[in-house]
Amino acid sequence: MRRKAAGYAVLVLFALIFLYPFVIQIANSLKTEADAAAHPLSPIPHPFTAASFEKILHGTDFPLWLANSVLMTVLVTLGRVFFDSLAGYALARLRFRGRDTVSATILAMMAVPGVVLLIPKFLVLNQLGIYNSYTALILPLLVDATGIFIMKQAFAAVPIDVEEAAHVDGAGIVRTYWSVVLPMVRPALITLTILSFQGSWNDFTHSLIAVQNPDLYTLPRGLADLVTGSLGSGTQYPLKLGASLLTIIPVAVIFLVFQRYFVRDANEGAAKG
């Protein structure tokens, strides 16, 4: 009993250590600038004020950044789930010349650091004439190697007998993919959705080389602009931390909502196995 209590105490301690920075972020976003500068580690605002959020929404381009991020993230997430699943199914099930080469290339791309591709991406976007546009923000992110690999592995784990039975019933490749196999890899789809949403929502480096027009800034790019002091002198802790807090909320909500289905489906799969 004592050992169990000690274990829970250690877990609670680590949980508090993990949560404390978030508590400080929330507290400082509800402080005045003077209070945040004088007592940045205090978890209690004195006095309590929501002026920073009002300034964020009405004194900055945060609503525009939010709209750009929502547009980019929704389209990129939908595109990745659709195109990555198509490519993953083709690599897992279809027989065609060069399939092994394509699979090896995808694995090699996963090993390449993203920063290495920044200059080539910029040159390609510029040569195609889409630099500094919504197309430049969205199009290059619609497919990614990691998503294709995740879906390929998921489709490869589906028993081939299921597809053979569908073919016997007269279903073609597209119908088998869409109506039979795709619903069976829902945990992988949910994983891909979470990763795609989080990755595109938090993406900074791509927007850095894709656009320069402030009207096309996404939230990470706009927050970087705030951090560099675009609003003038002073620490601006409440403003910066409040904007960061608002940026985190959508990702946290998406993760919590989809995690429930992911855990449930994973448990059901384990029980069936």
Short mmCIF file of all heavy atoms in Angstrom, two decimals, residues 16-84:
data_model
loop_
_atom_site.label_atom_id
_atom_site.label_comp_id
_atom_site.label_asym_id
_atom_site.label_seq_id
_atom_site.Cartn_x
_atom_site.Cartn_y
_atom_site.Cartn_z
N LEU A 16 2.60 17.82 -11.95
CA LEU A 16 2.65 19.23 -11.57
C LEU A 16 3.82 19.95 -12.25
O LEU A 16 3.69 21.09 -12.70
CB LEU A 16 2.76 19.36 -10.05
CG LEU A 16 1.53 18.92 -9.25
CD1 LEU A 16 1.81 18.99 -7.75
CD2 LEU A 16 0.32 19.78 -9.60
N ILE A 17 4.96 19.26 -12.32
CA ILE A 17 6.12 19.86 -13.00
C ILE A 17 5.82 20.09 -14.47
O ILE A 17 6.19 21.12 -15.05
CB ILE A 17 7.35 18.94 -12.84
CG1 ILE A 17 7.77 18.88 -11.36
CG2 ILE A 17 8.51 19.43 -13.70
CD1 ILE A 17 8.89 17.90 -11.08
N PHE A 18 5.13 19.14 -15.07
CA PHE A 18 4.79 19.26 -16.49
C PHE A 18 3.77 20.37 -16.74
O PHE A 18 3.85 21.10 -17.73
CB PHE A 18 4.24 17.91 -16.99
CG PHE A 18 3.81 17.93 -18.43
CD1 PHE A 18 4.75 17.84 -19.45
CD2 PHE A 18 2.47 18.03 -18.76
CE1 PHE A 18 4.36 17.86 -20.78
CE2 PHE A 18 2.07 18.05 -20.09
CZ PHE A 18 3.02 17.96 -21.10
N LEU A 19 2.79 20.49 -15.83
CA LEU A 19 1.70 21.45 -16.03
C LEU A 19 2.07 22.87 -15.61
O LEU A 19 1.41 23.83 -16.04
CB LEU A 19 0.46 21.00 -15.25
CG LEU A 19 -0.24 19.73 -15.75
CD1 LEU A 19 -1.36 19.34 -14.80
CD2 LEU A 19 -0.80 19.96 -17.15
N TYR A 20 3.08 23.02 -14.76
CA TYR A 20 3.39 24.34 -14.21
C TYR A 20 3.67 25.39 -15.30
O TYR A 20 3.18 26.53 -15.20
CB TYR A 20 4.56 24.25 -13.24
CG TYR A 20 4.82 25.52 -12.48
CD1 TYR A 20 3.93 25.96 -11.51
CD2 TYR A 20 5.94 26.31 -12.76
CE1 TYR A 20 4.16 27.14 -10.81
CE2 TYR A 20 6.18 27.48 -12.07
CZ TYR A 20 5.29 27.90 -11.10
OH TYR A 20 5.53 29.06 -10.42
N PRO A 21 4.45 25.07 -16.35
CA PRO A 21 4.65 26.10 -17.39
C PRO A 21 3.35 26.56 -18.04
O PRO A 21 3.22 27.74 -18.38
CB PRO A 21 5.56 25.37 -18.40
CG PRO A 21 6.26 24.32 -17.60
CD PRO A 21 5.26 23.88 -16.58
N PHE A 22 2.39 25.63 -18.23
CA PHE A 22 1.11 26.03 -18.81
C PHE A 22 0.32 26.93 -17.85
O PHE A 22 -0.35 27.87 -18.27
CB PHE A 22 0.29 24.79 -19.16
CG PHE A 22 0.92 23.94 -20.24
CD1 PHE A 22 1.64 22.81 -19.92
CD2 PHE A 22 0.80 24.29 -21.57
CE1 PHE A 22 2.23 22.03 -20.90
CE2 PHE A 22 1.37 23.52 -22.56
CZ PHE A 22 2.10 22.40 -22.23
N VAL A 23 0.41 26.61 -16.55
CA VAL A 23 -0.24 27.46 -15.56
C VAL A 23 0.36 28.87 -15.59
O VAL A 23 -0.36 29.88 -15.54
CB VAL A 23 -0.11 26.85 -14.15
CG1 VAL A 23 -0.65 27.80 -13.08
CG2 VAL A 23 -0.84 25.51 -14.08
N ILE A 24 1.68 28.94 -15.68
CA ILE A 24 2.35 30.23 -15.74
C ILE A 24 1.95 30.99 -17.00
O ILE A 24 1.76 32.21 -16.99
CB ILE A 24 3.88 30.04 -15.68
CG1 ILE A 24 4.29 29.49 -14.32
CG2 ILE A 24 4.60 31.35 -15.96
CD1 ILE A 24 3.90 30.37 -13.16
N GLN A 25 1.82 30.27 -18.10
CA GLN A 25 1.40 30.91 -19.35
C GLN A 25 0.02 31.52 -19.21
O GLN A 25 -0.21 32.68 -19.61
CB GLN A 25 1.42 29.90 -20.49
CG GLN A 25 1.00 30.49 -21.83
CD GLN A 25 0.94 29.45 -22.92
OE1 GLN A 25 0.76 28.27 -22.66
NE2 GLN A 25 1.09 29.88 -24.16
N ILE A 26 -0.91 30.75 -18.66
CA ILE A 26 -2.27 31.26 -18.48
C ILE A 26 -2.28 32.44 -17.52
O ILE A 26 -2.94 33.46 -17.77
CB ILE A 26 -3.19 30.14 -17.97
CG1 ILE A 26 -3.30 29.03 -19.00
CG2 ILE A 26 -4.57 30.68 -17.63
CD1 ILE A 26 -4.04 27.79 -18.51
N ALA A 27 -1.55 32.31 -16.42
CA ALA A 27 -1.53 33.37 -15.41
C ALA A 27 -0.96 34.67 -15.98
O ALA A 27 -1.52 35.76 -15.78
CB ALA A 27 -0.72 32.92 -14.20
N ASN A 28 0.16 34.58 -16.70
CA ASN A 28 0.78 35.78 -17.24
C ASN A 28 -0.06 36.43 -18.33
O ASN A 28 0.01 37.65 -18.52
CB ASN A 28 2.17 35.45 -17.79
CG ASN A 28 3.23 35.41 -16.71
OD1 ASN A 28 3.65 36.43 -16.18
ND2 ASN A 28 3.64 34.21 -16.34
N SER A 29 -0.84 35.64 -19.05
CA SER A 29 -1.70 36.23 -20.07
C SER A 29 -2.85 37.01 -19.45
O SER A 29 -3.48 37.83 -20.12
CB SER A 29 -2.25 35.13 -20.98
OG SER A 29 -3.10 34.24 -20.27
N LEU A 30 -3.13 36.77 -18.17
CA LEU A 30 -4.20 37.47 -17.45
C LEU A 30 -3.67 38.55 -16.51
O LEU A 30 -4.41 39.06 -15.67
CB LEU A 30 -5.04 36.46 -16.66
CG LEU A 30 -5.78 35.41 -17.51
CD1 LEU A 30 -6.43 34.37 -16.62
CD2 LEU A 30 -6.83 36.08 -18.39
N LYS A 31 -2.40 38.89 -16.64
CA LYS A 31 -1.79 39.93 -15.81
C LYS A 31 -1.66 41.23 -16.60
O LYS A 31 -1.78 41.26 -17.82
CB LYS A 31 -0.39 39.48 -15.35
CG LYS A 31 -0.36 38.28 -14.42
CD LYS A 31 1.08 37.92 -14.07
CE LYS A 31 1.16 36.70 -13.17
NZ LYS A 31 2.57 36.34 -12.87
N THR A 32 -1.37 42.30 -15.85
CA THR A 32 -0.95 43.52 -16.50
C THR A 32 0.50 43.37 -16.92
O THR A 32 1.21 42.48 -16.44
CB THR A 32 -1.08 44.71 -15.55
OG1 THR A 32 -0.21 44.51 -14.42
CG2 THR A 32 -2.51 44.88 -15.07
N GLU A 33 0.96 44.21 -17.82
CA GLU A 33 2.35 44.09 -18.28
C GLU A 33 3.33 44.32 -17.13
O GLU A 33 4.35 43.64 -17.03
CB GLU A 33 2.61 45.08 -19.41
CG GLU A 33 4.01 44.95 -20.00
CD GLU A 33 4.22 45.81 -21.22
OE1 GLU A 33 3.24 46.41 -21.70
OE2 GLU A 33 5.36 45.88 -21.70
N ALA A 34 3.02 45.27 -16.25
CA ALA A 34 3.91 45.55 -15.12
C ALA A 34 3.98 44.37 -14.17
O ALA A 34 5.07 43.99 -13.70
CB ALA A 34 3.43 46.79 -14.39
N ASP A 35 2.83 43.75 -13.87
CA ASP A 35 2.80 42.61 -12.96
C ASP A 35 3.53 41.42 -13.57
O ASP A 35 4.26 40.69 -12.88
CB ASP A 35 1.36 42.25 -12.65
CG ASP A 35 1.25 41.13 -11.61
OD1 ASP A 35 2.16 41.03 -10.76
OD2 ASP A 35 0.27 40.37 -11.65
N ALA A 36 3.35 41.18 -14.88
CA ALA A 36 4.02 40.06 -15.54
C ALA A 36 5.53 40.25 -15.57
O ALA A 36 6.28 39.29 -15.41
CB ALA A 36 3.48 39.90 -16.96
N ALA A 37 5.98 41.49 -15.74
CA ALA A 37 7.42 41.76 -15.76
C ALA A 37 8.03 41.65 -14.36
O ALA A 37 9.16 41.18 -14.21
CB ALA A 37 7.68 43.14 -16.34
N ALA A 38 7.28 42.06 -13.34
CA ALA A 38 7.80 42.03 -11.97
C ALA A 38 7.71 40.64 -11.35
O ALA A 38 8.58 40.24 -10.57
CB ALA A 38 7.04 43.04 -11.11
N HIS A 39 6.65 39.88 -11.67
CA HIS A 39 6.45 38.55 -11.07
C HIS A 39 6.10 37.54 -12.16
O HIS A 39 4.97 37.03 -12.21
CB HIS A 39 5.34 38.60 -10.02
CG HIS A 39 5.51 39.68 -9.00
ND1 HIS A 39 4.88 40.91 -9.11
CD2 HIS A 39 6.26 39.73 -7.87
CE1 HIS A 39 5.21 41.66 -8.08
NE2 HIS A 39 6.06 40.97 -7.31
N PRO A 40 7.04 37.23 -13.06
CA PRO A 40 6.71 36.34 -14.19
C PRO A 40 6.40 34.90 -13.79
O PRO A 40 5.72 34.20 -14.53
CB PRO A 40 7.98 36.41 -15.05
CG PRO A 40 9.06 36.78 -14.09
CD PRO A 40 8.43 37.69 -13.09
N LEU A 41 6.90 34.45 -12.63
CA LEU A 41 6.69 33.06 -12.23
C LEU A 41 5.56 32.89 -11.22
O LEU A 41 5.32 31.79 -10.74
CB LEU A 41 7.98 32.48 -11.64
CG LEU A 41 9.18 32.41 -12.59
CD1 LEU A 41 10.38 31.80 -11.89
CD2 LEU A 41 8.82 31.63 -13.85
N SER A 42 4.85 33.96 -10.92
CA SER A 42 3.74 33.86 -9.99
C SER A 42 2.51 33.30 -10.71
O SER A 42 2.13 33.79 -11.78
CB SER A 42 3.41 35.24 -9.41
OG SER A 42 2.22 35.18 -8.64
N PRO A 43 1.85 32.28 -10.15
CA PRO A 43 0.67 31.70 -10.80
C PRO A 43 -0.62 32.46 -10.54
O PRO A 43 -1.68 32.05 -11.01
CB PRO A 43 0.60 30.30 -10.19
CG PRO A 43 1.18 30.47 -8.82
CD PRO A 43 2.24 31.53 -8.94
N ILE A 44 -0.54 33.57 -9.78
CA ILE A 44 -1.75 34.33 -9.42
C ILE A 44 -1.64 35.75 -9.99
O ILE A 44 -0.75 36.51 -9.60
CB ILE A 44 -1.93 34.40 -7.90
CG1 ILE A 44 -2.02 32.98 -7.32
CG2 ILE A 44 -3.18 35.19 -7.55
CD1 ILE A 44 -2.10 32.94 -5.81
N PRO A 45 -2.51 36.12 -10.94
CA PRO A 45 -2.49 37.48 -11.47
C PRO A 45 -2.92 38.50 -10.41
O PRO A 45 -3.85 38.25 -9.65
CB PRO A 45 -3.51 37.44 -12.62
CG PRO A 45 -3.72 35.99 -12.90
CD PRO A 45 -3.50 35.28 -11.61
N HIS A 46 -2.21 39.62 -10.37
CA HIS A 46 -2.58 40.67 -9.42
C HIS A 46 -2.21 42.02 -10.03
O HIS A 46 -1.05 42.41 -10.06
CB HIS A 46 -1.84 40.49 -8.09
CG HIS A 46 -2.25 41.51 -7.06
ND1 HIS A 46 -3.46 41.46 -6.42
CD2 HIS A 46 -1.60 42.59 -6.57
CE1 HIS A 46 -3.54 42.47 -5.57
NE2 HIS A 46 -2.41 43.18 -5.64
N PRO A 47 -3.20 42.72 -10.57
CA PRO A 47 -4.63 42.39 -10.61
C PRO A 47 -4.98 41.49 -11.80
O PRO A 47 -4.20 41.37 -12.74
CB PRO A 47 -5.28 43.76 -10.78
CG PRO A 47 -4.27 44.53 -11.58
CD PRO A 47 -2.92 44.07 -11.10
N PHE A 48 -6.14 40.90 -11.74
CA PHE A 48 -6.64 40.05 -12.82
C PHE A 48 -7.21 40.93 -13.93
O PHE A 48 -8.03 41.80 -13.68
CB PHE A 48 -7.73 39.12 -12.28
CG PHE A 48 -8.34 38.21 -13.31
CD1 PHE A 48 -7.85 36.94 -13.50
CD2 PHE A 48 -9.42 38.64 -14.08
CE1 PHE A 48 -8.42 36.10 -14.45
CE2 PHE A 48 -9.99 37.81 -15.02
CZ PHE A 48 -9.49 36.54 -15.21
N THR A 49 -6.78 40.67 -15.18
CA THR A 49 -7.28 41.46 -16.30
C THR A 49 -7.21 40.64 -17.58
O THR A 49 -6.30 39.82 -17.75
CB THR A 49 -6.47 42.75 -16.48
OG1 THR A 49 -6.95 43.46 -17.64
CG2 THR A 49 -5.00 42.47 -16.65
N ALA A 50 -8.16 40.86 -18.46
CA ALA A 50 -8.17 40.19 -19.76
C ALA A 50 -7.85 41.18 -20.89
O ALA A 50 -8.18 40.93 -22.05
CB ALA A 50 -9.52 39.54 -20.02
N ALA A 51 -7.18 42.27 -20.53
CA ALA A 51 -6.88 43.31 -21.51
C ALA A 51 -6.00 42.79 -22.64
O ALA A 51 -6.09 43.25 -23.78
CB ALA A 51 -6.23 44.49 -20.82
N SER A 52 -5.12 41.83 -22.31
CA SER A 52 -4.21 41.32 -23.34
C SER A 52 -4.98 40.62 -24.45
O SER A 52 -4.65 40.78 -25.64
CB SER A 52 -3.19 40.35 -22.71
OG SER A 52 -3.85 39.23 -22.15
N PHE A 53 -6.03 39.89 -24.11
CA PHE A 53 -6.81 39.19 -25.13
C PHE A 53 -7.60 40.18 -25.98
O PHE A 53 -7.75 39.97 -27.19
CB PHE A 53 -7.75 38.19 -24.47
CG PHE A 53 -7.05 37.03 -23.81
CD1 PHE A 53 -6.87 37.00 -22.44
CD2 PHE A 53 -6.55 35.99 -24.57
CE1 PHE A 53 -6.21 35.95 -21.83
CE2 PHE A 53 -5.90 34.92 -23.97
CZ PHE A 53 -5.72 34.91 -22.61
N GLU A 54 -8.08 41.24 -25.35
CA GLU A 54 -8.78 42.27 -26.12
C GLU A 54 -7.84 42.94 -27.11
O GLU A 54 -8.21 43.19 -28.27
CB GLU A 54 -9.38 43.30 -25.17
CG GLU A 54 -10.19 44.38 -25.89
CD GLU A 54 -10.80 45.37 -24.93
OE1 GLU A 54 -10.71 45.15 -23.70
OE2 GLU A 54 -11.38 46.37 -25.41
N LYS A 55 -6.60 43.18 -26.67
CA LYS A 55 -5.62 43.81 -27.56
C LYS A 55 -5.22 42.85 -28.68
O LYS A 55 -5.00 43.27 -29.82
CB LYS A 55 -4.39 44.23 -26.76
CG LYS A 55 -3.40 45.06 -27.57
CD LYS A 55 -2.29 45.59 -26.69
CE LYS A 55 -1.34 46.46 -27.51
NZ LYS A 55 -0.23 47.00 -26.68
N ILE A 56 -5.13 41.55 -28.35
CA ILE A 56 -4.77 40.56 -29.36
C ILE A 56 -5.82 40.53 -30.47
O ILE A 56 -5.49 40.51 -31.66
CB ILE A 56 -4.64 39.16 -28.72
CG1 ILE A 56 -3.40 39.10 -27.83
CG2 ILE A 56 -4.57 38.07 -29.79
CD1 ILE A 56 -3.35 37.88 -26.95
N LEU A 57 -7.09 40.54 -30.09
CA LEU A 57 -8.17 40.40 -31.06
C LEU A 57 -8.47 41.69 -31.82
O LEU A 57 -8.95 41.63 -32.96
CB LEU A 57 -9.45 39.91 -30.34
CG LEU A 57 -9.35 38.52 -29.70
CD1 LEU A 57 -10.63 38.20 -28.95
CD2 LEU A 57 -9.09 37.46 -30.76
N HIS A 58 -8.20 42.83 -31.18
CA HIS A 58 -8.58 44.10 -31.81
C HIS A 58 -7.38 45.00 -32.13
O HIS A 58 -7.55 45.96 -32.89
CB HIS A 58 -9.54 44.87 -30.90
CG HIS A 58 -10.80 44.12 -30.60
ND1 HIS A 58 -11.78 43.91 -31.53
CD2 HIS A 58 -11.23 43.53 -29.45
CE1 HIS A 58 -12.77 43.23 -31.00
NE2 HIS A 58 -12.47 42.98 -29.73
N GLY A 59 -6.21 44.70 -31.59
CA GLY A 59 -5.06 45.56 -31.83
C GLY A 59 -3.96 44.91 -32.64
O GLY A 59 -2.92 45.52 -32.89
N THR A 60 -4.17 43.68 -33.08
CA THR A 60 -3.20 42.98 -33.92
C THR A 60 -3.92 42.33 -35.10
O THR A 60 -5.15 42.41 -35.21
CB THR A 60 -2.45 41.88 -33.12
OG1 THR A 60 -3.37 40.81 -32.83
CG2 THR A 60 -1.89 42.43 -31.81
N ASP A 61 -3.16 41.70 -35.96
CA ASP A 61 -3.75 40.97 -37.10
C ASP A 61 -4.03 39.51 -36.75
O ASP A 61 -4.09 38.66 -37.65
CB ASP A 61 -2.78 41.03 -38.30
CG ASP A 61 -2.72 42.41 -38.91
OD1 ASP A 61 -3.75 43.13 -38.86
OD2 ASP A 61 -1.66 42.79 -39.44
N PHE A 62 -4.21 39.22 -35.47
CA PHE A 62 -4.45 37.85 -35.04
C PHE A 62 -5.64 37.21 -35.75
O PHE A 62 -5.56 36.05 -36.19
CB PHE A 62 -4.65 37.80 -33.52
CG PHE A 62 -4.73 36.41 -32.96
CD1 PHE A 62 -3.59 35.75 -32.53
CD2 PHE A 62 -5.95 35.75 -32.86
CE1 PHE A 62 -3.66 34.47 -32.01
CE2 PHE A 62 -6.03 34.47 -32.35
CZ PHE A 62 -4.88 33.83 -31.92
N PRO A 63 -6.80 37.90 -35.90
CA PRO A 63 -7.92 37.27 -36.63
C PRO A 63 -7.55 36.87 -38.05
O PRO A 63 -7.99 35.82 -38.54
CB PRO A 63 -9.00 38.35 -36.59
CG PRO A 63 -8.69 39.16 -35.38
CD PRO A 63 -7.19 39.20 -35.32
N LEU A 64 -6.76 37.70 -38.74
CA LEU A 64 -6.33 37.37 -40.10
C LEU A 64 -5.40 36.16 -40.09
O LEU A 64 -5.54 35.26 -40.92
CB LEU A 64 -5.61 38.57 -40.73
CG LEU A 64 -5.01 38.35 -42.11
CD1 LEU A 64 -6.09 38.01 -43.13
CD2 LEU A 64 -4.22 39.58 -42.56
N TRP A 65 -4.45 36.15 -39.15
CA TRP A 65 -3.54 34.99 -39.04
C TRP A 65 -4.33 33.72 -38.74
O TRP A 65 -4.03 32.66 -39.27
CB TRP A 65 -2.51 35.23 -37.94
CG TRP A 65 -1.70 36.47 -38.10
CD1 TRP A 65 -1.43 37.13 -39.27
CD2 TRP A 65 -1.05 37.21 -37.07
NE1 TRP A 65 -0.66 38.23 -39.02
CE2 TRP A 65 -0.42 38.31 -37.68
CE3 TRP A 65 -0.95 37.06 -35.68
CZ2 TRP A 65 0.33 39.24 -36.96
CZ3 TRP A 65 -0.21 37.97 -34.96
CH2 TRP A 65 0.41 39.05 -35.58
N LEU A 66 -5.33 33.85 -37.88
CA LEU A 66 -6.15 32.69 -37.53
C LEU A 66 -6.90 32.16 -38.76
O LEU A 66 -6.95 30.94 -38.99
CB LEU A 66 -7.15 33.08 -36.44
CG LEU A 66 -8.15 32.01 -36.01
CD1 LEU A 66 -7.43 30.80 -35.43
CD2 LEU A 66 -9.14 32.58 -35.00
N ALA A 67 -7.48 33.07 -39.55
CA ALA A 67 -8.22 32.65 -40.74
C ALA A 67 -7.28 31.96 -41.73
O ALA A 67 -7.64 30.93 -42.33
CB ALA A 67 -8.89 33.86 -41.39
N ASN A 68 -6.10 32.51 -41.92
CA ASN A 68 -5.13 31.89 -42.82
C ASN A 68 -4.71 30.51 -42.33
O ASN A 68 -4.58 29.57 -43.13
CB ASN A 68 -3.89 32.78 -42.97
CG ASN A 68 -4.18 34.05 -43.75
OD1 ASN A 68 -5.13 34.11 -44.54
ND2 ASN A 68 -3.38 35.07 -43.54
N SER A 69 -4.50 30.38 -41.03
CA SER A 69 -4.09 29.09 -40.46
C SER A 69 -5.20 28.05 -40.60
O SER A 69 -4.94 26.89 -40.90
CB SER A 69 -3.69 29.24 -38.99
OG SER A 69 -2.42 29.82 -38.86
N VAL A 70 -6.44 28.47 -40.35
CA VAL A 70 -7.57 27.54 -40.47
C VAL A 70 -7.69 27.06 -41.91
O VAL A 70 -7.85 25.85 -42.17
CB VAL A 70 -8.88 28.22 -40.01
CG1 VAL A 70 -10.08 27.35 -40.39
CG2 VAL A 70 -8.85 28.45 -38.51
N LEU A 71 -7.64 27.98 -42.88
CA LEU A 71 -7.74 27.61 -44.29
C LEU A 71 -6.61 26.65 -44.68
O LEU A 71 -6.86 25.59 -45.29
CB LEU A 71 -7.68 28.86 -45.16
CG LEU A 71 -7.65 28.63 -46.67
CD1 LEU A 71 -8.95 27.98 -47.13
CD2 LEU A 71 -7.40 29.95 -47.42
N MET A 72 -5.39 27.00 -44.32
CA MET A 72 -4.24 26.17 -44.68
C MET A 72 -4.32 24.80 -44.01
O MET A 72 -4.12 23.76 -44.65
CB MET A 72 -2.95 26.88 -44.25
CG MET A 72 -1.70 26.04 -44.36
SD MET A 72 -0.28 26.89 -43.63
CE MET A 72 0.94 25.57 -43.65
N THR A 73 -4.63 24.77 -42.72
CA THR A 73 -4.63 23.52 -41.97
C THR A 73 -5.71 22.57 -42.44
O THR A 73 -5.48 21.36 -42.59
CB THR A 73 -4.79 23.81 -40.47
OG1 THR A 73 -3.73 24.67 -40.03
CG2 THR A 73 -4.75 22.51 -39.67
N VAL A 74 -6.92 23.09 -42.66
CA VAL A 74 -8.02 22.23 -43.11
C VAL A 74 -7.72 21.61 -44.47
O VAL A 74 -7.86 20.39 -44.67
CB VAL A 74 -9.34 23.03 -43.16
CG1 VAL A 74 -10.43 22.22 -43.85
CG2 VAL A 74 -9.78 23.40 -41.75
N LEU A 75 -7.26 22.43 -45.42
CA LEU A 75 -6.98 21.91 -46.76
C LEU A 75 -5.81 20.94 -46.75
O LEU A 75 -5.84 19.91 -47.42
CB LEU A 75 -6.71 23.08 -47.72
CG LEU A 75 -7.90 23.99 -48.01
CD1 LEU A 75 -7.50 25.10 -48.97
CD2 LEU A 75 -9.06 23.19 -48.60
N VAL A 76 -4.76 21.27 -46.00
CA VAL A 76 -3.59 20.38 -45.94
C VAL A 76 -3.95 19.06 -45.27
O VAL A 76 -3.54 17.98 -45.73
CB VAL A 76 -2.43 21.08 -45.19
CG1 VAL A 76 -1.31 20.07 -44.88
CG2 VAL A 76 -1.87 22.22 -46.03
N THR A 77 -4.71 19.12 -44.19
CA THR A 77 -5.10 17.88 -43.50
C THR A 77 -5.95 16.99 -44.38
O THR A 77 -5.71 15.78 -44.49
CB THR A 77 -5.86 18.21 -42.20
OG1 THR A 77 -5.02 19.01 -41.35
CG2 THR A 77 -6.25 16.94 -41.46
N LEU A 78 -6.95 17.57 -45.04
CA LEU A 78 -7.79 16.79 -45.95
C LEU A 78 -6.97 16.21 -47.10
O LEU A 78 -7.14 15.05 -47.49
CB LEU A 78 -8.93 17.65 -46.50
CG LEU A 78 -9.99 18.11 -45.50
CD1 LEU A 78 -10.99 19.04 -46.18
CD2 LEU A 78 -10.71 16.91 -44.90
N GLY A 79 -6.08 17.03 -47.64
CA GLY A 79 -5.25 16.57 -48.75
C GLY A 79 -4.33 15.44 -48.35
O GLY A 79 -4.19 14.44 -49.07
N ARG A 80 -3.72 15.56 -47.19
CA ARG A 80 -2.80 14.50 -46.75
C ARG A 80 -3.53 13.20 -46.46
O ARG A 80 -3.05 12.12 -46.82
CB ARG A 80 -2.03 14.96 -45.51
CG ARG A 80 -0.93 15.96 -45.82
CD ARG A 80 -0.09 16.24 -44.59
NE ARG A 80 0.98 17.18 -44.90
CZ ARG A 80 1.87 17.61 -44.01
NH1 ARG A 80 1.79 17.19 -42.75
NH2 ARG A 80 2.81 18.45 -44.37
N VAL A 81 -4.67 13.30 -45.80
CA VAL A 81 -5.43 12.08 -45.50
C VAL A 81 -5.84 11.38 -46.79
O VAL A 81 -5.75 10.15 -46.90
CB VAL A 81 -6.66 12.41 -44.63
CG1 VAL A 81 -7.58 11.20 -44.53
CG2 VAL A 81 -6.23 12.87 -43.24
N PHE A 82 -6.27 12.15 -47.78
CA PHE A 82 -6.73 11.56 -49.04
C PHE A 82 -5.56 11.04 -49.88
O PHE A 82 -5.51 9.85 -50.23
CB PHE A 82 -7.53 12.59 -49.84
CG PHE A 82 -8.04 12.08 -51.14
CD1 PHE A 82 -9.01 11.09 -51.19
CD2 PHE A 82 -7.55 12.57 -52.34
CE1 PHE A 82 -9.50 10.60 -52.39
CE2 PHE A 82 -8.03 12.10 -53.55
CZ PHE A 82 -8.99 11.11 -53.58
N PHE A 83 -4.60 11.90 -50.18
CA PHE A 83 -3.51 11.51 -51.08
C PHE A 83 -2.55 10.51 -50.44
O PHE A 83 -2.06 9.59 -51.12
CB PHE A 83 -2.75 12.76 -51.55
CG PHE A 83 -3.54 13.66 -52.45
CD1 PHE A 83 -3.84 14.96 -52.07
CD2 PHE A 83 -4.01 13.21 -53.68
CE1 PHE A 83 -4.58 15.78 -52.89
CE2 PHE A 83 -4.76 14.03 -54.51
CZ PHE A 83 -5.04 15.32 -54.12
N ASP A 84 -2.25 10.68 -49.16
CA ASP A 84 -1.36 9.74 -48.49
C ASP A 84 -1.98 8.35 -48.41
O ASP A 84 -1.28 7.34 -48.54
CB ASP A 84 -1.01 10.23 -47.08
CG ASP A 84 -0.08 11.43 -47.10
OD1 ASP A 84 0.35 11.83 -48.20
OD2 ASP A 84 0.21 11.98 -46.02
#
